[in-house]
Structures are given as C-alpha cells and as structure tokens.
Amino acid sequence: MSTFKRNVCFSCGRPVAPYENAVHFPCPQCGDVEIWRCERCRAMGKTYKCLKCEFEGP
Ligand SMILES: [Zn+2]
Ligand SMILES: [Zn+2]
C-alpha cells in the first residue's frame, strides 16, 4: 500500500493540497482507511467511499 502516499480527495479524486481546508478522518465503519475530503467537496456535501469496506458517507 505504499502507492497511497499522496492525499487524494475520496469524492473527486483530486490531490489535496496542504494549504487547503480539507478534512481527514478514519473510516467510520472499518477505521482502517484514512478518508480525505477536499474543501470543495465538503462545501458541496459530496459523498465519499471507503477503499476497503466500501462504506459510503456524506
Ligand atoms: Zn474533492
Ligand atoms: Zn472503511
């Protein structure tokens, strides 16, 4: 899993810049995957999907 070094928004697939007001948190279901959401997707309320357990959340 060393290919996932960059933080990519789980909603739009865009790389998250360090200066952005993005959020990251462990997956609410499996807790194994760090979910990233960029500023824009947060504002638009887009859904994300966990890579491991496929949990979908707002
Ligand atoms: Zn995004
Ligand atoms: Zn998960």
Side-chain angles (χ1 to χ4, degrees):
M1 284 296 183
S2 55
T3 48
F4 287 102
K5 271 198 172 166
R6 275 204 304 178
N7 305 319
V8 173
C9 172
F10 275 45
S11 297
C12 65
R14 215 163 52 93
V16 175
Y19 52 81
E20 259 189 76
N21 197 17
V23 286
H24 60 104
F25 49 91
C27 170
Q29 187 165 274
C30 67
D32 280 350
V33 176
E34 190 81 353
I35 311 260
W36 280 81
R37 293 183 82 202
C38 71
E39 204 175 351
R40 221 173 47 179
C41 290
R42 273 178 67 204
M44 289 167 63
K46 286 208 179 189
T47 57
Y48 58 83
K49 193 175 185 181
C50 174
L51 291 174
K52 190 178 173 184
C53 67
E54 306 213 318
F55 174 82
E56 278 188 68

